[in-house]
Amino acid sequence: MAGRTLPLSPYQRLLIAVGCAVVLLASCLVAYEIALQSGIAAAHDTSERRLQIFDRMLEANIERYHFLPTTLAQASEIRDVLAHPEDDALRARANGFLSNMGGTAAAEELFIVDVNGRSIAASNWWTHQSMVGRHYAERPYFQEAMFDGAAKYYAVGITTGVPGYFIANRIDGPEGPLGVAVVKINLGEIEAVWWRSGELIGIFDSNDVGILSTRPDWRYRTLVDTHPSGLETLARDQRYLGVAINGQGIVQSIEPWRGTELAVLRSGDSEINGEFLVDRLRMPLHGWRLLSFVPLGPISNWAWTATFFVGVAVGAILLAAMLFMQRQRLIRARLEDHDQLEQRVLLRTSELQEANSRLAGEIVERQEAEKARQAAQQGLVQAAKLATLGQALAGVAHEVSQPIAALRTQTASAKLLARGKVPELADLFGSMEGVIGRLVALTGHLKTFARKETEISIQSDVVHIAHNAIELANHFREDPSLTITLDAPPHALIVTGNPVHIEQVLVNLISNAADAMAGLEDATIKITARDMGQHAVISVADNGTGIDPAIIDTLFDPFVTTKEPGRGLGLGLSISYGLIREMGGRIEVESRQGEGATFTITLPLAEITTPQIRDFA
């Protein structure tokens, strides 16, 4: 028996306290890291999705006007005024056309510039800020369109002083360029939509100058601090004409941090001061970057809150664990007093379990023996039935063999007498001889079934046998509307078995199916033969009323029949069962009430072609 449980020493208690403190601290650190990282990842995913949405909104808004320069370049009003720029009537006509197009498309400005860079028609021709007569030869979008055929450019308008997105297409004539069609889009509506979303975002061009933003004070302000020399360079850029660029950066610094970027923003507004997570989306088509700023404060607060709750939970778990351990020590001390008694109980329990196991094994063995006895008894009953049936069939075969022989002789004589005189009778007697031959074979089969004998194995083609069975069944069927079909492969299916026996089984199944469907419309018997690799499977299916479930399990027993009295003895299926079994096969039946019945014969395919001697009962 184990020794007594001793109380904890002061040193052990100190170790436990230090261990709990370390576990608590480590849990808090891990919880903070996980919460902070998950918050950053969630913010990144949200920002990324919103940036993509904003990008699609901007592209969709620009794409709305993409067709306008091409439409203007193809308009006859525009081409006519470019060909005759001094014609006042043509110029008035072009101005009216541009005004109508601008109003319909809701574009900021539409204007036409000739090859010298002078505007000759505009949609705002009637305002005091009219673009007509002004020169745009120095504008980058004009130069690029003249050189490349098309241009897209964001800049401040030199006439209106209003920034916008310019889409320009060159207008070509038979002898060369005629001018440039320009569409100016005001993106202020996009800014308004972004501002209503509550997000802190901005678009920065290739010079890191803010051009669109949800913060008005970010427009034309550099992302980071810019040296005065850099501001002078920006001032000379055509896109910022007339606008003073603020070189004080929006962010004090922006550095990589935890798989993302962390920026420190400075502003007179306390809501956007401090640390922010930065997500970027490049817009290569325009040379812009779309930036989203997410405050780090709420994420950090969430991480500290999660850390607090985790610390409380871990502390509670540690306290519960210590109480549990103390309780376990008390319980263990009590159990030690009863250890010897428990050992005796366990030993006795083990002996009882072994006895129960042996008893259970004996019960299982007795149940299996009882099942085997019942199966053997059923086999003996079936064998006795078949033996009795064989004796009866032997007597029947003996009694009818002589009348059949006499009938065969008389039919042959009648056939000789009719030959040459009445050819139709000769053919009829020939058919009768075939039927009588089958009767002779049948009596021989009955004798074979009734006694044990040695026979040479015969290889038979079940497809050919099925054709013969259908032909024979057609002679004695009573319902002319009955349809018998055969679905079989084109090649032979060779099995080892007496062909007359197989034919006899098929004829019996066809006859039973025909009787079961007597009086039904559209009565059909479908015979199917299939090669299943190792076996040949022949099925006979009808669309009759099916077999009574009460007798389907004893259907192959002698003298079991579903026919009316006087129409059958109930021996056909029993004989068929014995014949198929002697060939090494099996016969099975499936039936559903109201849906007909299907008998399936499975015979092993032949593997040799030379006769083999075998004994069978």
Side-chain angles (χ1 to χ4, degrees), residues 462 465-467 469-470 473 482-487 502-517 524-530 536-544 546-547 555-556 573 576 580 586-592 595-602:
V462 295
I465 294 171
H467 281 286
I470 294 174
L482 174 64
T483 302
I484 304 176
T485 64
L486 174 62
D487 181 9
I502 301 173
E503 180 180 308
Q504 176 185 345
V505 173
L506 291 177
V507 170
N508 181 60
L509 294 178
I510 295 172
S511 176
N512 289 344
D515 291 342
M517 296 187 294
T524 302
I525 299 174
K526 183 177 181 181
I527 303 174
T528 305
R530 289 287 182 268
V537 178
I538 310 100
S539 63
V540 179
D542 62 67
N543 59 346
I547 301 173
L555 195 62
F556 294 105
L573 289 179
S576 299
I580 295 301
R586 65 180 184 276
I587 181 169
E588 300 167 319
V589 61
E590 293 181 3
S591 176
R592 291 185 180 179
E595 297 183 9
T598 301
F599 285 83
T600 303
I601 301 171
T602 303

Side-chain angles (χ1 to χ4, degrees), residues 78 82 98 110-122 131 134-137 139 141-142 146 168-171 177-182:
I78 304 304
L82 285 172
L98 292 175
L110 306 177
F111 57 99
I112 306 300
V113 183
D114 63 16
V115 293
N116 297 317
R118 184 173 66 91
S119 174
I120 61 175
M131 296 179 175
R134 297 184 181 272
H135 289 271
Y136 298 94
R139 299 298 278 173
Y141 58 81
F142 172 77
M146 287 296 294
N169 272 29
R170 187 178 64 209
I171 304 174
L178 299 177
V180 175
V182 184

Side-chain angles (χ1 to χ4, degrees), residues 158-406:
I158 62 175
T159 302
T160 62
V162 177
Y165 190 80
F166 293 85
I167 304 175
N169 272 29
R170 187 178 64 209
I171 304 174
D172 293 323
E175 298 179 357
L178 299 177
V180 175
V182 184
V183 176
K184 180 182 178 183
I185 306 171
N186 188 347
L187 299 180
E189 295 181 2
I190 296 294
E191 279 188 310
V193 172
W194 291 353
W195 179 80
R196 286 194 294 271
S197 70
E199 301 293 329
L200 190 61
I201 61 174
I203 292 182
F204 297 83
D205 62 12
S206 58
N207 296 320
D208 275 345
V209 176
I211 56 177
L212 293 173
S213 174
T214 55
R215 296 281 306 181
D217 58 336
W218 284 9
R219 294 196 205 105
Y220 305 109
R221 184 177 172 184
T222 58
L223 181 62
V224 295
D225 290 341
T226 304
H227 193 270
S229 60
L231 294 177
E232 294 177 1
T233 303
L234 293 176
R236 291 191 296 271
D237 195 319
Q238 289 286 326
R239 74 183 75 191
Y240 310 119
L241 289 178
V243 177
I245 303 299
N246 187 346
Q248 184 180 15
I250 297 172
V251 300
Q252 290 182 354
S253 63
I254 182 168
E255 301 291 341
W257 183 71
R258 292 181 178 269
T260 182
E261 289 183 300
L262 183 66
V264 179
L265 271 64
R266 56 187 175 192
S267 172
D269 190 345
S270 59
E271 293 184 358
I272 59 170
N273 277 333
E275 296 177 327
F276 286 75
L277 299 177
V278 182
D279 284 287
R280 305 170 182 255
L281 178 65
R282 295 189 178 276
M283 306 172 70
L285 185 63
H286 311 289
W288 300 341
R289 289 180 299 163
L290 184 59
L291 270 64
S292 170
F293 296 86
V294 179
L296 180 62
I299 299 175
S300 179
N301 292 338
W302 151 247
W304 282 116
T305 301
T307 301
F308 171 76
F309 284 109
V310 169
V312 171
V314 171
I317 292 173
L318 291 174
L319 179 60
M322 292 177 64
L323 293 175
F324 177 76
M325 291 174 60
Q326 180 65 22
R327 178 176 174 80
Q328 288 298 107
R329 289 177 63 84
L330 293 175
I331 294 174
R332 189 161 55 247
R334 293 177 182 177
L335 290 178
E336 287 173 353
D337 297 334
H338 303 281
D339 185 59
Q340 186 175 5
L341 178 60
E342 288 291 334
Q343 291 295 329
R344 293 177 179 176
V345 172
L346 290 175
L347 179 60
R348 181 58 179 165
T349 302
S350 177
E351 294 175 352
L352 291 175
Q353 288 177 345
E354 291 179 359
N356 289 336
S357 299
R358 289 194 299 270
L359 182 59
E362 292 178 0
I363 292 174
V364 172
E365 291 177 357
R366 290 178 180 271
Q367 289 176 345
E368 292 179 352
E370 179 63 20
K371 291 180 180 179
R373 186 192 64 80
Q374 291 177 356
Q377 184 177 4
Q378 291 177 358
L380 291 174
V381 171
Q382 183 70 6
K385 291 179 180 180
L386 292 177
T388 303
L389 176 62
Q391 293 176 0
L393 293 179
V396 173
H398 178 73
E399 291 298 329
V400 301
S401 59
Q402 291 182 356
I404 291 175

